[in-house]
Amino acid sequence: MSVVPLRVPAAETAQEPLRLKPAVRLTKVSKRFSNGTLAVEDFSFAFPQHGFISLLGPSGCGKSTILRMIAGLNRPSSGRIDWPNAVHDAAGQPERNLAFVFQEATLMPWATAIANVMLPLRLAGVSKDEARERSQVALAQVGIDDFANAYPRELSGGMKMRVSIARAIVERPRVLLMDEPFAALDEITRFKLNKDLLRLWQESNFTVVFVTHSVFESVFLSQHVLLMAARPGRVMARVPVDAPYPRDELFRTSAVYNERCRMVLELLGQASGHD
Amino acid sequence: MTDIHVPIQLPEFDLPEDKLAQDAEAPVERESSFASRALPKILAPLIVGILFVGGWEAAVRAYKIPYYVLPGPFTIVETLISDWGVLWASLLVTLTVTFQALFLAAFFGASLAILFSQSKLIEMSFFPYAVILQVTPIVAIAPLIIIWADDVRIALLICAWIVAFFPILSNTTLGLHSADHNLKNLFQLYRATRWQTLRFLKLPAAMPYFLAGLKISGGLSLIGAVVAEFVAGTGGRGSGLAYRILEAGFQLKIPRLFAALLLISLTGVVIFLIMSLISHLLLRTWHESAIRTEN
Ligand SMILES: Nc1ncnc2c1ncn2[C@@H]1O[C@H](COP(=O)(O)OP(=O)(O)O)[C@@H](O)[C@H]1O
Ligand SMILES: [Mg+2]
């Protein structure tokens, strides 16, 4: 193993300055389901603080499984998931402080938009008044504070997703996990939500792990695209997208964007060529 | 034609984007033209009813059918008014048993379902017995219950309750399991307690199912109350409509029998309407069953 001079070896994380520690680090994480499916094999990646990382790959390559393991909804069969930067509670469990956005908005149909956004705060024991106030702010951040008292069925797909995002950010998470959040939306709504998500991310300091199967979306949004392949699910390549933020519609027509999209497409093509 | 001199670099989206996106994200519209929908719904069965009752009265008069075989609707209404004192007292008795049974069924059915949802073991252990209670015909167990219970009223209540309680139990049990899978994950992610998951997720998700059960049980508790009273067959001051029917049959007071029958049917309809109204009021903001949509 070649050690780059002046870099702190991974084992000595305690000595790393706080801001350099990754938000969450996966080390050789594998997941085999009880039915024998090897959904993820040897996934290693350190998600930097305030990073925006996309997982891109065909369906079935284990993207959702990785998110669910980070969220603690599934246990890895082997490997480790660390939260080097998190406060540990009395039981030694890390305060993960994360939020999840599903492909469906996953709102409670019996509750108004604001009541849905209040949920994480209410579950955490925040008083009703304070929860309402903070939820109103979160709804304003995603631009739908006018619809605070609407029921989910009265909202369009894009608006529901905004409520879902407001619910995710209301608790100011360190890590925001998003599983193909915009896949069910039309392109116009999707572009707008892409831009608004980037703005939200820049205004705050959470880390985004963004799962998508859209090449263009992943390149537009993220600092790094992790290209994944299926059977078994694994990382095939890591493509950095080193364009500055804020990124807007101009970026969609820039040379960097086009070049990165082509590169990712080519890599994906090579991967599927073996099938 | 207008000239297209927009520089390519200009972000074409930015200007119309807000409008476009707003259209794409516009709220779904609701619709509420009640009159055009409800009128035929009321009118059509009303016409059928009037024709039927008119035909009945006409047939009774034309063939001079004696009142102790088949009284006409007119005679029945007359009897209803003249015998109102006796019938009203009996109706109150039947109503009391019915609503007490329904209330107890709703309470125990829902409580037991909640208990089942907390422990798979409890559910597995007790659910089969609830099924056995349900599939055994009430007329077969009613004599036993009447012997065991000191008070006939209590016996009637138990019978009506047994019949009414199962739909609520099974529906609510189903409803408590029906919460959206991703929502369950979300609650898990936020480390919700059992109580929070029940209170904020499972109970609201089970509500439409519970109410559907309540609608069925409303009718069943009336049937249970009437059937049990038939089996008990005891008269006296505190007897309900079923005993009035038995009594009228023995005494060949056929118009009174029909009047009592009419009251039972009307009671059943009213109970159904009340349950439907409760269900509608509780679900109208969110559940598909209570929402009228245009298309
Ligand atoms: N609970 C499960 N039990 C068994 N196999 C599963 C389960 N969840 C996912 N898988 C399998 O694991 C693989 C990866 O699934 P997933 O992570 O959902 O992929 P993606 O999100 O990339 O589409 C698939 O082959 C899928 O069938
Ligand atoms: Mg998936």
Side-chain angles (χ1 to χ4, degrees), chain A residues 33 35 37 39 58-65:
Chain A
F33 284 104
N35 64 3
T37 312
S59 65
C61 70
K63 305 183 295 292
S64 299
T65 306

Side-chain angles (χ1 to χ4, degrees), chain A residues 15-230:
Chain A
Q15 287 169 14
E16 274 179 68
L18 215 66
R19 65 194 156 77
L20 291 185
K21 284 185 186 175
V24 53
R25 180 174 41 216
L26 281 71
T27 316
K28 294 190 135 267
V29 167
S30 299
K31 176 71 187 180
R32 188 184 287 281
F33 284 104
S34 50
N35 64 3
T37 312
L38 186 58
V40 177
E41 189 178 42
D42 276 350
F43 183 97
S44 296
F45 193 76
F47 294 88
Q49 271 182 65
H50 198 211
F52 201 123
I53 313 296
S54 288
L55 302 182
L56 174 71
S59 65
C61 70
K63 305 183 295 292
S64 299
T65 306
I66 290 172
L67 280 200
R68 291 175 61 81
M69 285 192 292
I70 297 176
L73 295 170
N74 275 344
R75 278 179 184 286
S77 314
S78 64
R80 282 163 35 125
I81 299 177
D82 309 295
W83 299 81
N85 207 19
V87 185
H88 288 246
D89 64 15
Q93 288 290 311
E95 293 272 357
R96 289 169 303 177
N97 199 353
L98 46 80
F100 208 115
V101 176
F102 301 91
Q103 179 173 346
E104 307 296 328
T106 313
L107 303 176
M108 301 179 292
W110 52 82
T112 55
I114 191 154
N116 268 289
V117 177
M118 283 162 68
L119 179 75
L121 299 173
R122 298 291 288 145
L123 291 179
V126 175
S127 78
K128 211 166 190 164
D129 288 341
E130 193 194 331
R132 184 172 295 278
E133 227 164 85
R134 284 169 64 180
S135 301
Q136 196 70 49
V137 173
L139 282 172
Q141 278 181 293
V142 296
I144 47 161
D145 38 338
D146 291 348
F147 293 95
N149 293 316
Y151 283 88
R153 57 171 210 85
E154 298 170 304
L155 302 173
S156 66
M159 294 168 88
K160 277 189 242 183
M161 190 44 76
R162 284 172 188 275
V163 177
S164 192
I165 293 172
R167 176 179 62 191
I169 61 170
V170 74
E171 240 198 342
R172 302 209 189 86
R174 277 177 198 285
V175 176
L176 179 57
L177 307 168
M178 306 183 88
D179 195 351
E180 304 190 20
F182 310 140
L185 303 177
D186 62 273
E187 203 171 28
I188 295 163
T189 310
R190 187 172 181 159
F191 279 8
K192 185 130 171 39
L193 276 161
N194 281 167
K195 226 176 70 179
D196 287 355
L197 175 63
L198 279 187
R199 180 180 50 72
L200 270 176
W201 169 69
Q202 279 183 278
E203 287 169 0
S204 51
N205 59 354
F206 50 74
T207 303
V208 181
V209 185
F210 191 95
V211 164
T212 178
H213 51 227
S214 160
V215 171
F216 306 105
E217 190 172 55
S218 67
V219 172
F220 178 74
L221 290 173
S222 39
Q223 299 168 319
H224 289 279
V225 180
L226 301 186
L227 265 170
M228 298 192 53

